[in-house]
Amino acid sequence: MPTIVHEFDWPDRVVVGTVGLPGSRTFYLQVRSGTRIVSIALEKQQSALLGEKIDEILDQLITLEGNPFSIPTTTPIELVDNDPLEQPVAEEFRTGAMSLGWDPSTVQVVIEAYPITDDDEELLDPAEVAEMLLVRMPVGTARAFAKRTREVVGAGRPMCPLCGYPVDADGHTCTLPEA
């Protein structure tokens, strides 16, 4: 079976956003190029780790002598994207395995995402993949993506100062640890 590859080499927009209220949000990685939009569902932890690892890659590249790839140390203001996800959000697949890389020939961060499988414990065999998302984004866009992702992940339910568990909008029963 041929693999369906949703490939974006220089996307117009690439963001993580959510649908739903804190506590029951669904996270999406949404990519747009022209009128073509692809949205894939992510877990909150996947979103957080993706933003964190992109920043780590960029921070490591800055330390190369002379910063040969012109990696920005902060998010370029013109690339800040606080707009909501583009509607309607049509989920292509729920993400299982992901990989993150660097392409020095195009100076882009590369994200690969694969659908969740019945047995996500097994190593992914590329010959058996039916669908995937492949996104290549320039360094400024990647820095803006990481910043927005941290903000979206952090915008969930507030934490209880006593027990450390999330406080739901409809209340919270605090369970303090036994002394």
Side-chain angles (χ1 to χ4, degrees):
M1 166 169 43
T3 302
I4 298 169
V5 180
H6 305 283
E7 187 171 0
F8 294 86
D9 285 332
W10 293 91
D12 297 329
R13 184 175 195 225
V14 55
V15 295
V16 165
T18 61
V19 173
L21 297 173
S24 60
R25 298 184 295 172
T26 301
F27 286 76
Y28 290 96
L29 169 57
Q30 189 176 74
V31 189
R32 177 177 51 79
S33 187
T35 59
R36 185 170 154 245
I37 299 173
V38 171
S39 302
I40 61 171
L42 300 169
E43 293 297 325
K44 180 179 182 177
Q45 295 81 2
Q46 288 173 309
S47 302
L49 194 57
L50 184 59
E52 177 185 322
K53 294 300 179 184
I54 286 174
D55 265 342
E56 282 181 19
I57 287 173
L58 296 174
D59 290 346
Q60 287 175 359
L61 290 167
I62 285 175
T63 65
L64 295 177
E65 189 174 330
N67 189 3
F69 300 112
S70 299
I71 308 295
T73 56
T74 60
T75 302
I77 193 73
E78 66 275 9
L79 297 177
V80 171
D81 183 345
N82 292 320
D83 292 337
L85 294 174
E86 297 186 40
Q87 300 294 324
V89 176
E91 180 181 314
E92 293 293 329
F93 58 83
R94 179 159 289 285
T95 305
M98 296 183 80
S99 69
L100 188 59
W102 170 249
D103 184 347
S105 66
T106 61
V107 189
Q108 290 178 308
V109 173
V110 181
I111 300 172
E112 293 180 355
Y114 302 90
I116 197 163
T117 60
D118 292 335
D119 187 9
D120 234 22
E121 301 296 316
E122 292 181 24
L123 291 176
L124 201 58
D125 179 359
E128 296 178 14
V129 173
E131 189 171 19
M132 71 175 287
L133 174 67
L134 174 61
V135 180
R136 299 176 196 282
M137 61 179 129
V139 294
T141 302
R143 189 63 88 182
F145 175 89
K147 178 182 186 300
R148 176 190 167 113
T149 300
R150 282 192 312 276
E151 291 169 355
V152 168
V153 168
R157 297 174 288 174
M159 300 305 237
C160 173
L162 300 174
C163 70
Y165 286 102
V167 177
D168 290 322
D170 58 350
H172 173 70
T173 304
C174 190
T175 28
L176 292 173
E178 299 281 328

